[in-house]
Amino acid sequence: AGSASKADEKPSELWLATASSLGQRALSDPAAFDFVRSLTTEIGQRLAGTAAHKRAVAWAEARLKAAGFENVHSEPFTFPAWIRGEEKAEIVAPIPQHLAITALGGSIATDANGIEAEIALFRTYDDLLAAAPGSLAGKIAIVTQRMVRAQDGSGYGAANPIRRSGPSEAAKRGAVAYLLRSLGTDSHRLPHTGALTYKDDAPRIPAASLAVPDAEQLERLAALGPVRIRLVLRPTVEENASSWNVVGELKGNERPDEIVLIGGHLDSWDLGTGATDDGAGTAIAFGAARLIGSLPQRPSRTIRVVLFGAEEMDFSGAAYAQAHQGEIGNIVVAAEADFGAGNVYSVQLPPGAAGSDFGRLLQRVIAPLGANVDSRPALFGGEDIRDLHRAGVPTSSLRQDGLDYFDTHHTADDTLDKIDPKRLEQAVAVWTAFTYLSATSGVDFRSLASTAK
Amino acid sequence: AGSASKADEKPSELWLATASSLGQRALSDPAAFDFVRSLTTEIGQRLAGTAAHKRAVAWAEARLKAAGFENVHSEPFTFPAWIRGEEKAEIVAPIPQHLAITALGGSIATDANGIEAEIALFRTYDDLLAAAPGSLAGKIAIVTQRMVRAQDGSGYGAANPIRRSGPSEAAKRGAVAYLLRSLGTDSHRLPHTGALTYKDDAPRIPAASLAVPDAEQLERLAALGPVRIRLVLRPTVEENASSWNVVGELKGNERPDEIVLIGGHLDSWDLGTGATDDGAGTAIAFGAARLIGSLPQRPSRTIRVVLFGAEEMDFSGAAYAQAHQGEIGNIVVAAEADFGAGNVYSVQLPPGAAGSDFGRLLQRVIAPLGANVDSRPALFGGEDIRDLHRAGVPTSSLRQDGLDYFDTHHTADDTLDKIDPKRLEQAVAVWTAFTYLSATSGVDFRSLASTAK
Ligand SMILES: [Zn+2]
Ligand SMILES: [Zn+2]
Ligand SMILES: [Zn+2]
Ligand SMILES: [Zn+2]
């Protein structure tokens, strides 16, 4: 009775009890794993712009409705869809050997016979950047720089320009095609795809990733003498393709116009079944909101789950932000789960929040789950949240353990068997706590941020 | 001086000292890794019957000569070469999905359009065997039994009939094609090939392996309802292809007609570069003999290194045994290294030898290297040694740690990066000790075996 009356006095103690109880339930709730199992089994790959992605949208709407979400709908947008075609590469000299490669998203095609040329191999990206203009004329430029394994994914961030900007940098120096060692931490014959960004001041050249063992094979061969490669890439682009951001809500019972927005992206690359990228993220957002929806009473604010529709080629975040310009001030916080199926070890909140009552409350809930509130603020909340964030929406980053994430990221190997259900459940538990407290406590991240300045 | 005079009295002490010294040198000798690095880099895949294998034969002869081996030559034989062609599979219903598959060696082809049929999925091989005759009429039979990870490779032996005999067992029951979960311990989208053996009393049907994640995907889908698959396999057979067993020797200085035969197989599957299967084995035999050849004086007996030329489809062992019928009585012992690049943890000798002076001497040399003489006799010395063994040649089995071997065995992932040079060097050290003592000590395994009976 003593503690009950205390809870009556201090709502935060009630929130703490509820959030902790939700977190514990999440640890043995199969809903998130079921979600990603069904998505990857019954839909499989769902590259934005394909019939498979359209099936995924219908699947997701049905799933959200069945789980009791309100206002379930899909918000359409158009974008230029890049669709993989035939792709192959082989060493033609000094001796014929097959190479495991995959086109980068956005790459232009070669003609049907492909490009055959001698290679110019650089062991670091900076070596390529140091090459003189014209020095790569007629060559296939190759960068074999290694990506560093790191729990926080910082190795990917550091290596990202090699894939994003490498094609244009090579083209500026005369190269006719570009290959990079996959941005991945494995050593399997499964190349990692991902989007490139052509620059306006460089010719567009075809670009692909090499599997890690193939990149190492080329390093060894290049050390022995000239190497010639033939590369065939036949992707196509559908200029006005359709996609959708799928939405489901739990309407707030006191301040329904204030929105806690969480999500993941429903589209995936086409090589695997998008289990960890980003079936897991959509499952985490779904699982967390669904648990909160099972409470006898809705939180004060609206919880909105958004399953974005074209993250991999960077279109859905902009489409969402543009469609919801008028709502920016109402979005209390936005966060996207897009870093696999590992456990959350750290939560980065908007500036000023870590040391606030809200931060301390969250810490008390998630410490028993094996996660901490990070003293550093969130600088990035997910690709699909970026434009909302730029427009002024506070963002949070729930950091998942990504030590193994880049072993299979963007490869054919991104399949359900790579997900450990217990680690996924822990991630759902932390997301549940964060989302529930954000929707219930009345925290005002914007004013915490301005106080912090 | 005291121990030196003892060595003079007991030749076994001198052998012990020399074998131990050779073993220590092997632990930092780069020759074996250099061998497999060059083979896999400069030749790559070398499926028997292909131009690449022919290149490998010339490469191996040159390598043996350069290392100082004598009597270097290649012994030709003909065989029906199976050559992989186009191969693909997809789920067509309930929804389209790509499947990662690879044809089994020896499989017949489908026609160019492939076979489309409903699947009948069995979770164990015994479930398939229990199916009634005719019950699989018109179906693609699939067995998804898991292979067990075991250091000694026993999981592969237990599962082998699923690949070897499954196609004919399915055909007997009416199936039009056969798929199995890869015989592998990994969970990557890289299917494991390997040979099948059609039975004479069953129709020949096309057969392929599924990557492990794809087999699990089919299990999940089959639990939801009917599944249809389309399978295209376009291999060809060249009936009178050529291969060669490559030989190099260190002539014995006292009993040159007595032969200690060690080897590996130079051919490989075509998907990877045959680094662990069996570039590593050929490198071990080469590296061990080369070290012994660097001694100031040759051992008493001849050491013969044989790099077999068509192990994967089971032709080179028979060809070798037939060509050397007249030499059976002269071969003191034969052993093949064909279990990857892991360390040797146990040596199985011919019956009666483990407890002999020879066995005790070998134990004293290899115990410091981290290996034991096994009290159990060798029952199998390698696929290419099988026919020699049946004809009466004693055999030994140097057991390598195979815990990870079947992660990449017979896949595109069998590449150089999977070899740990230090573990390979340890294997060379144990092989060096075994080979040196067999060639030097005058051990008579045949008489030990008859005494043991
Ligand atoms: Zn993603
Ligand atoms: Zn992605
Ligand atoms: Zn082998
Ligand atoms: Zn093999």
Side-chain angles (χ1 to χ4, degrees):
Chain A
S3 66
S5 64
K6 258 193 187 165
D8 290 342
E9 288 159 31
K10 293 185 68 178
S12 67
E13 292 300 315
L14 188 59
W15 303 332
L16 174 69
T18 305
S20 297
S21 156
L22 283 170
Q24 287 306 312
R25 283 176 55 198
L27 294 181
S28 58
D29 181 5
F33 188 76
D34 281 353
F35 184 98
V36 63
R37 175 169 54 195
S38 172
L39 175 62
T40 57
T41 302
E42 294 168 54
I43 306 296
Q45 77 82 18
R46 45 200 182 277
L47 185 68
T50 65
H53 180 255
K54 195 170 179 178
R55 278 192 290 271
V57 168
W59 174 94
E61 283 197 21
R63 197 94 185 180
L64 288 167
K65 283 177 187 158
F69 286 85
E70 296 135 17
N71 189 25
V72 174
H73 66 281
S74 296
E75 305 178 1
F77 59 95
T78 60
F79 72 108
W82 180 90
I83 310 289
R84 191 178 308 281
E86 179 195 8
E87 50 188 23
K88 61 181 180 185
E90 57 193 342
I91 299 167
V92 294
I95 48 145
Q97 290 196 56
H98 170 74
L99 288 170
I101 59 107
T102 195
L104 298 187
S107 173
I108 63 164
T110 66
D111 66 27
N113 292 322
I115 291 174
E116 186 186 314
E118 194 172 311
I119 68 171
L121 187 143
F122 301 93
R123 291 195 172 231
T124 75
Y125 186 53
D126 285 325
D127 290 338
L128 169 69
L129 297 181
S135 64
L136 304 181
K139 300 271 179 72
I140 297 176
I142 305 185
V143 175
T144 61
Q145 183 172 325
R146 279 138 183 78
M147 178 182 147
V148 174
R149 186 185 292 275
Q151 188 186 29
D152 65 358
S154 54
Y156 186 66
N160 213 263
I162 306 173
R163 192 189 74 213
R164 283 269 169 199
S165 309
S168 289
E169 294 297 339
K172 282 181 194 173
R173 289 159 179 82
V176 294
Y178 178 75
L179 299 173
L180 74 152
R181 176 179 160 127
S182 283
L183 301 190
T185 47
D186 62 301
S187 193
H188 297 298
R189 300 291 299 286
L190 296 167
H192 298 237
T193 189
L196 60 73
T197 309
Y198 287 126
K199 290 177 182 160
D200 289 336
D201 61 348
R204 298 185 169 208
I205 60 173
S209 288
L210 291 154
V212 168
D214 299 76
E216 295 183 351
Q217 181 80 327
L218 286 173
E219 286 179 344
R220 288 187 292 268
L221 279 168
L224 299 175
V227 177
R228 290 182 70 80
I229 283 180
R230 195 170 77 94
L231 174 70
V232 177
L233 302 179
R234 301 292 287 161
T236 54
V237 173
E238 188 192 335
E239 282 299 335
N240 279 292
S242 293
S243 189
W244 300 264
N245 292 324
V246 183
V247 179
E249 292 183 336
L250 305 177
K251 249 330 172 218
N253 75 351
E254 288 172 14
R255 311 188 202 176
D257 294 339
E258 298 182 12
I259 298 153
V260 173
L261 190 158
I262 62 173
H265 64 86
L266 192 62
D267 69 304
S268 76
W269 282 110
D270 51 337
L271 300 172
T273 62
T276 69
D277 184 17
D278 187 29
T282 58
I284 288 167
F286 168 86
R290 183 183 159 279
L291 267 176
I292 298 168
S294 72
L295 289 172
Q297 168 172 318
R298 289 282 150 95
S300 170
R301 290 163 164 162
T302 291
I303 293 171
R304 179 181 296 172
V305 174
V306 185
L307 308 181
F308 294 94
E311 189 276 343
E312 294 296 5
M313 290 291 288
D314 302 339
F315 291 105
S316 42
Y320 191 85
Q322 191 174 7
H324 293 268
Q325 278 174 5
E327 219 177 27
I328 296 296
N330 291 347
I331 303 178
V332 173
V333 67
E336 183 174 23
D338 187 17
F339 204 66
N343 55 292
V344 174
Y345 65 94
S346 155
V347 177
Q348 295 180 339
L349 296 171
S356 71
D357 287 349
F358 178 86
R360 281 188 294 271
L361 187 60
L362 180 61
Q363 173 71 18
R364 289 174 66 191
V365 181
I366 66 175
L369 297 171
N372 288 312
V373 171
D374 198 326
S375 59
R376 294 163 299 183
L379 300 175
F380 179 75
E383 200 62 41
D384 289 309
I385 304 300
R386 185 195 294 273
D387 286 7
L388 289 179
H389 186 45
R390 283 186 182 146
V393 173
T395 187
S396 292
S397 178
L398 287 76
R399 316 288 295 180
Q400 291 175 261
D401 186 330
L403 212 55
D404 301 332
Y405 181 53
F406 293 99
D407 287 353
T408 59
H409 178 252
H410 291 189
T411 73
D413 234 355
D414 184 5
T415 46
L416 186 65
D417 51 297
K418 308 307 182 303
I419 296 182
D420 175 347
K422 296 317 289 180
R423 296 180 72 200
L424 182 69
E425 286 164 3
Q426 189 272 4
V428 174
V430 179
W431 273 85
T432 302
F434 163 78
T435 305
Y436 171 77
L437 292 177
S438 296
T440 299
S441 69
V443 59
D444 181 349
F445 291 116
R446 285 177 174 83
S447 79
L448 288 173
S450 59
T451 310
K453 275 170 197 165
Chain B
S3 65
S5 63
K6 257 190 187 166
D8 290 341
E9 286 159 34
K10 296 184 67 177
S12 68
E13 293 299 315
L14 188 59
W15 302 333
L16 174 69
T18 305
S20 296
S21 157
L22 283 170
Q24 288 305 312
R25 282 176 55 197
L27 293 182
S28 59
D29 180 5
F33 188 75
D34 281 353
F35 183 99
V36 64
R37 175 169 54 193
S38 172
L39 176 62
T40 57
T41 301
E42 294 168 53
I43 307 297
Q45 78 82 17
R46 48 200 180 276
L47 185 69
T50 64
H53 180 254
K54 195 169 177 181
R55 278 192 290 272
V57 168
W59 174 94
E61 283 197 22
R63 197 93 184 180
L64 288 167
K65 282 177 188 161
F69 285 85
E70 295 136 18
N71 190 25
V72 174
H73 66 281
S74 296
E75 303 179 1
F77 59 94
T78 61
F79 73 107
W82 181 91
I83 310 289
R84 191 178 308 282
E86 180 194 7
E87 50 187 24
K88 61 181 180 185
E90 56 193 342
I91 300 168
V92 294
I95 48 144
Q97 289 196 55
H98 170 73
L99 288 170
I101 59 109
T102 195
L104 298 187
S107 172
I108 64 165
T110 66
D111 66 26
N113 292 323
I115 291 173
E116 186 186 315
E118 194 173 312
I119 69 169
L121 187 143
F122 301 94
R123 291 195 172 233
T124 74
Y125 186 53
D126 284 325
D127 290 338
L128 169 69
L129 297 181
S135 63
L136 304 182
K139 299 272 181 70
I140 296 176
I142 305 186
V143 175
T144 61
Q145 183 173 323
R146 277 138 182 76
M147 177 181 149
V148 175
R149 187 185 291 274
Q151 188 186 29
D152 64 359
S154 55
Y156 185 65
N160 212 262
I162 307 173
R163 192 189 75 214
R164 283 269 170 201
S165 309
S168 288
E169 294 298 338
K172 281 182 192 171
R173 290 159 179 82
V176 294
Y178 179 75
L179 298 173
L180 73 151
R181 176 180 160 126
S182 282
L183 302 191
T185 46
D186 63 300
S187 194
H188 297 297
R189 302 290 298 287
L190 295 166
H192 298 236
T193 189
L196 59 73
T197 309
Y198 286 127
K199 291 179 181 156
D200 289 336
D201 61 347
R204 298 184 168 210
I205 61 174
S209 289
L210 290 154
V212 166
D214 299 77
E216 295 183 352
Q217 181 81 327
L218 287 172
E219 286 180 344
R220 287 187 293 268
L221 279 169
L224 300 174
V227 178
R228 292 181 69 79
I229 282 179
R230 195 170 77 93
L231 175 70
V232 177
L233 302 179
R234 302 291 287 160
T236 54
V237 173
E238 186 191 337
E239 282 300 335
N240 278 290
S242 293
S243 189
W244 300 265
N245 292 324
V246 183
V247 179
E249 292 184 336
L250 305 176
K251 243 345 168 208
N253 75 350
E254 289 171 14
R255 312 188 201 177
D257 294 342
E258 297 183 11
I259 298 153
V260 173
L261 190 159
I262 62 173
H265 64 86
L266 192 62
D267 69 301
S268 76
W269 282 110
D270 52 336
L271 300 172
T273 61
T276 69
D277 186 15
D278 186 30
T282 57
I284 289 168
F286 167 86
R290 182 182 159 282
L291 266 177
I292 297 168
S294 72
L295 290 172
Q297 169 172 317
R298 288 283 148 94
S300 170
R301 290 162 164 162
T302 291
I303 293 171
R304 179 181 294 171
V305 173
V306 185
L307 308 181
F308 294 95
E311 190 276 342
E312 294 297 4
M313 290 291 289
D314 301 341
F315 291 106
S316 41
Y320 191 85
Q322 191 174 7
H324 293 267
Q325 278 175 6
E327 220 177 27
I328 297 296
N330 291 347
I331 303 178
V332 173
V333 66
E336 184 175 21
D338 186 18
F339 203 66
N343 55 293
V344 175
Y345 65 94
S346 155
V347 177
Q348 295 181 338
L349 296 170
S356 71
D357 287 347
F358 178 87
R360 281 188 292 271
L361 188 59
L362 181 61
Q363 173 71 18
R364 289 174 66 190
V365 181
I366 67 174
L369 297 171
N372 287 314
V373 171
D374 198 325
S375 59
R376 296 163 297 184
L379 301 174
F380 178 75
E383 201 62 42
D384 289 310
I385 303 300
R386 185 195 292 272
D387 286 8
L388 290 179
H389 186 45
R390 283 184 183 147
V393 173
T395 188
S396 291
S397 178
L398 287 77
R399 316 289 294 182
Q400 291 174 262
D401 186 329
L403 212 55
D404 301 331
Y405 181 54
F406 293 100
D407 287 352
T408 59
H409 179 251
H410 291 188
T411 73
D413 234 355
D414 184 4
T415 46
L416 185 65
D417 50 298
K418 309 308 182 301
I419 297 182
D420 175 346
K422 297 317 289 179
R423 296 180 72 199
L424 182 69
E425 287 165 1
Q426 190 272 3
V428 173
V430 178
W431 273 85
T432 301
F434 163 78
T435 305
Y436 171 76
L437 292 177
S438 296
T440 298
S441 69
V443 59
D444 182 349
F445 290 116
R446 284 176 173 85
S447 78
L448 289 172
S450 59
T451 310
K453 273 170 200 162

